[in-house]
Amino acid sequence: MTEEQIALVQANWAKVAPSADSVAALFYGRLFEIAPEVKPLFKGDMTEQGRKLTQMLSVAVNGLNNLDKLVPAVQDMGVRHIDYGVKDEHYDSVGAALLWTLGQGLGEDFTPEAEEAWTITYTTLATVMKDAAAASTA
Ligand code: HEM
């Protein structure tokens, strides 16, 4: 990921982060529409869950400049997701819902360059999570 892509993702996130609760609500609405099979995995209050997700995304987005420092927390999160019943194939739906939500939230700021930078960001996080999950059950 280039420095420009990191800066773009961080600038995009700074724009949507003040509306984190509505971004999260939009995200889960979309996720459960495109992947209804994951809905039963979520057992708690969805406002709280949305806050955990957007807080973690803030940490991740702001940590992109220092991936080595970020990776252990993301690995731990990947391992915890096994217990939530999350499977590798669910990551694609979550990524699609996240990109769609960013498109809604950012409007014309969601340029093709932004979409590419977010795709790399999400793929990086998802790969670290899935690899850690796989390693912990091997
Ligand atoms: C970059 C990807 C993801 C991030 C940043 C993320 C973030 C989080 C965070 C911060 C939590 C709170 C608990 C904890 O920290 O362990 C959580 C819980 C959870 N996540 Fe994720 N997650 C991601 C991917 C996914 C995927 C692909 C699924 C599949 C559907 C998923 C489903 C869940 C579920 C079911 C819970 C627990 C809900 C509950 O306790 O009721 N997550 N996630």
Side-chain angles (χ1 to χ4, degrees), residues 35 42 46 51 105 116:
F42 291 89
M46 288 312 288
R51 287 186 186 148
E116 190 190 355

Side-chain angles (χ1 to χ4, degrees), residues 54-71:
T54 51
Q55 275 163 17
M56 187 61 207
L57 284 173
S58 291
V59 170
V61 162
N62 294 314
L64 289 173
N65 309 86
N66 196 348
L67 266 186
D68 288 352
K69 212 178 136 201
L70 178 67
V71 162

Side-chain angles (χ1 to χ4, degrees), residues 27-28 31-32 35 37-46 48-49 51-57 60 73-74 76-81 83-95 98 121-127 129-130:
F27 165 79
Y28 286 113
L31 178 63
F32 298 154
E37 67 278 10
V38 303
K39 198 167 184 206
L41 303 180
F42 291 89
K43 319 270 188 214
D45 176 81
M46 288 312 288
E48 274 308 307
Q49 174 62 28
R51 287 186 186 148
K52 288 179 194 165
L53 174 75
T54 51
Q55 275 163 17
M56 187 61 207
L57 284 173
V74 179
D76 289 349
M77 203 171 57
V79 174
R80 287 198 298 275
H81 276 66
D83 289 338
Y84 307 146
V86 173
K87 306 277 179 234
D88 277 6
E89 57 268 26
H90 297 149
Y91 282 87
D92 286 350
S93 308
V94 165
L98 179 66
T121 301
Y122 179 76
T123 308
T124 304
L125 294 176
T127 304
M129 288 176 74
K130 284 187 280 191

